[in-house]
Amino acid sequence: LPLDERLQRRIVDGERNGLEADLDASLQEKSALQIINETLLAGMKTVGELFGAGQMQLPFVLQSAEVMKTAVAYLEPHMEKSEDDEGKGTIVLATVKGDVHDIGKNLVDIILSNNGYNVVNIGIKQPVNAILDAAEEHKADVIGMSGLLVKSTVVMKDNLEEMNTRGVAARWPVLLGGAALTRAYVENDLAEMYAGDVRYARDAFEGLRL
Ligand code: B1M
């Protein structure tokens, strides 16, 4: 198989033997971010489709996710870092309560960290209390929430409602991302009910731009 296809297959098949050698070869032709965006994410997309269609069982999805994480960790030192790399602000980043998906959140962490932001990544399944405590403790400028499940979109709304109730909405602009969200839901429904600023990021780069 051509290199790109082979890398994609590694993700889909959860096969990590020889992964590093293929990534090294790919790095001769592409940047680390190109490999992630163009090649590896396409593999994860296939995994999602197979799983959604009942053609792949959960333990195999987990294996694919592990290979994806290994690949991203291997590529991270090869990523470009911005020159002005200090003092752009602090973002507290979390996957919301009830949700374990963290590959996208961790990509956001890497991209923002490499571009001069201080990222406080508090992990998965984080209740709103933990998110707000971390934002307080680290004097965050922005709160970022990720979630891939449909029910996570409801949790995000609940979290924003809680922030309204506590009167902290003006203090923390919120960045939201994850596969189950839509731009319309965030920019219409959530922007309407949240008393602060809430934005939707389709991917890590839109997150960085915002
Ligand atoms: Co799960 N899962 N999963 N899963 N999983 C999905 C999300 C699903 C769509 C698969 C499917 O059915 N086709 C489906 C959700 C359906 C729904 O809610 N309607 C699903 C399900 C059902 C489940 C379980 C419930 C399965 C079960 O137990 N029966 C279970 C849930 C457990 C839980 O959360 N409580 C579950 C478990 C898992 C694994 C543990 C096996 C594994 C996760 C491993 C891990 O993350 N450590 C897993 C995986 C890998 C997936 C799919 C296949 C791939 C997700 C992924 O990593 N994509 C996924 C299918 C899909 O998404 N279509 C699926 C790559 C990643 C880079 O993309 O996270 O979307 P993503 O991030 C993107 C953007 O969304 C954005 O930037 C990234 C790209 O640059 N972004 C942000 C994300 N967060 C952002 C935050 C920002 C800004 C941008 O600012 C703050």
Side-chain angles (χ1 to χ4, degrees):
L1 284 180
L3 186 53
D4 268 3
E5 278 177 49
R6 207 160 68 223
L7 275 168
Q8 272 171 33
R9 279 250 63 90
R10 288 190 182 287
I11 302 288
V12 177
D13 296 343
E15 173 59 65
R16 62 150 300 170
N17 279 336
L19 175 70
E20 283 84 354
D22 277 355
L23 291 173
D24 282 336
S26 196
L27 280 167
Q28 303 299 314
E29 297 159 17
K30 295 178 168 195
S31 73
L33 279 177
Q34 271 175 321
I35 299 173
I36 293 176
N37 283 329
E38 292 167 16
T39 308
L40 304 180
L41 284 183
M44 282 312 285
K45 189 162 176 272
T46 305
V47 171
E49 285 162 5
L50 289 171
F51 179 63
Q55 289 165 16
M56 191 171 181
Q57 299 304 311
L58 203 60
F60 296 99
V61 179
L62 194 54
Q63 264 180 32
S64 295
E66 291 305 324
V67 176
M68 178 76 193
K69 285 185 163 197
T70 307
V72 172
Y74 188 78
L75 291 171
E76 196 188 342
H78 297 275
M79 286 184 202
E80 279 175 32
K81 296 197 169 49
S82 83
E83 296 291 306
D84 56 332
D85 60 349
E86 284 305 320
K88 280 193 188 161
T90 297
I91 178 166
V92 161
L93 204 56
T95 299
V96 298
K97 187 179 76 178
D99 196 323
V100 304
H101 298 89
D102 67 353
I103 296 175
K105 167 181 67 64
N106 293 342
L107 270 181
V108 173
D109 180 349
I110 291 171
I111 306 282
L112 293 183
S113 300
N114 283 347
N115 283 281
Y117 292 88
N118 173 32
V119 180
V120 182
N121 184 341
I122 64 169
I124 59 171
K125 295 205 267 185
Q126 292 297 318
V128 65
N129 276 339
I131 297 173
L132 295 180
D133 285 353
E136 186 82 57
E137 184 190 338
H138 297 278
K139 301 188 168 46
D141 301 289
V142 177
I143 289 175
M145 298 184 215
S146 178
L148 267 63
L149 301 171
V150 169
K151 72 172 185 190
S152 298
T153 64
V154 180
V155 173
M156 287 175 187
K157 183 166 190 230
D158 292 345
N159 290 355
L160 296 178
E161 251 154 26
E162 179 64 22
M163 290 171 75
N164 280 346
T165 308
R166 293 194 195 184
V168 296
R171 197 159 148 206
W172 285 308
V174 177
L175 189 63
L176 300 177
L181 284 171
T182 63
R183 187 174 299 281
Y185 175 68
V186 177
E187 291 179 356
N188 302 332
D189 301 29
L190 299 187
E192 190 144 297
M193 52 74 53
Y194 186 51
D197 196 1
V198 58
R199 303 291 182 92
Y200 169 73
R202 197 181 70 91
D203 56 29
F205 293 99
E206 190 174 6
L208 174 64
R209 190 173 58 74
L210 287 168

